[in-house]
Amino acid sequence: MKALAIFTKKADTGRKEKIMRRKQRLVQQRQKQEILLGICLFGILILSLGLFFSPKLMGDRPARESTGSESPKKTQEKLVDEKGNQTARIIAHGDLLYHDAVYMSAQQEDGSYDFAENFTYVKPWIEQADLAIADFEGTISPDFQLAGYPLFNAPFICGQCDQRCGL
């Protein structure tokens, strides 16, 4: 009987040790995963900051202005570099979505709307594009009253301001 009790005690101790070792391995694996995730997130942050502050993306290229009097050949020559490669700068602006607060803040004292201020910081970038695209989310219809969520009907001047900005 004593031998059975000693054997059972040793077996219990052995199982407990196995469980403890397994837990330790799981904790170590979890710590390694957390460290790896932290390194990856730090790398993504550094890359994002590098892209954001890159001189190329910040607009060191002079804006291309077309007066309309230039011939297509001259315009095409501007798009070809010294190696003969053709280039174009395309800028996409997403989700122009006019909520009530947006168009109400653009309302002037005389009841008209002026959205030019909305594009103050992005207009220089948009002007540098050879092709500027924007996604206007909603409608512009004088047949319906102005509305935000969920109908989104913006004042007609929104389209004109977008166009003046270069979109």
Side-chain angles (χ1 to χ4, degrees):
M1 211 30 127
K2 253 185 176 180
L4 184 60
I6 293 172
F7 178 76
T8 309
K9 203 175 203 183
K10 284 185 179 180
D12 284 345
T13 305
R15 270 189 255 144
K16 286 180 183 177
E17 287 177 1
K18 277 185 179 180
I19 291 171
M20 290 299 289
R21 276 184 269 150
R22 187 179 302 152
K23 283 183 180 180
Q24 286 176 342
R25 273 184 288 170
L26 289 173
V27 168
Q28 289 173 348
Q29 285 176 348
R30 181 66 178 227
Q31 288 173 341
K32 287 178 184 178
Q33 288 173 347
E34 289 175 354
I35 290 171
L36 185 60
L37 178 64
I39 291 170
C40 289
L41 289 174
F42 182 75
I44 290 170
L45 174 69
I46 296 298
L47 286 173
S48 299
L49 290 173
L51 289 174
F52 181 76
F53 290 109
S54 169
K56 271 191 168 178
L57 294 177
M58 292 299 286
D60 64 341
R61 184 173 132 179
R64 292 188 181 143
E65 294 183 21
S66 176
T67 60
S69 62
E70 295 176 323
S71 69
K73 188 175 183 180
K74 275 189 176 182
T75 304
Q76 190 175 14
E77 286 174 7
K78 286 183 180 180
L79 300 176
V80 178
D81 67 8
E82 61 277 352
K83 295 180 182 177
N85 297 320
Q86 291 186 344
T87 62
R89 180 175 278 189
I90 300 171
I91 299 215
H93 188 300
D95 297 345
L96 293 172
L97 186 60
Y98 291 88
H99 286 270
D100 296 330
V102 175
Y103 67 77
M104 295 295 247
S105 68
Q107 190 171 21
Q108 305 298 301
E109 288 180 14
D110 64 356
S112 65
Y113 296 91
D114 183 12
F115 294 93
E117 186 178 312
N118 293 359
F119 297 99
T120 302
Y121 299 106
V122 294
K123 187 175 180 178
W125 287 18
I126 293 170
E127 287 174 337
Q128 292 179 20
D130 298 307
L131 173 64
I133 302 168
D135 174 30
F136 185 88
E137 301 242 348
T139 59
I140 298 176
S141 176
D143 298 334
F144 300 100
Q145 72 180 47
L146 299 179
Y149 180 81
L151 301 176
F152 296 110
N153 187 40
F156 181 75
I157 194 74
C158 286
Q160 293 174 339
C161 286
D162 296 348
Q163 189 175 18
R164 280 196 302 262
C165 180
L167 296 172

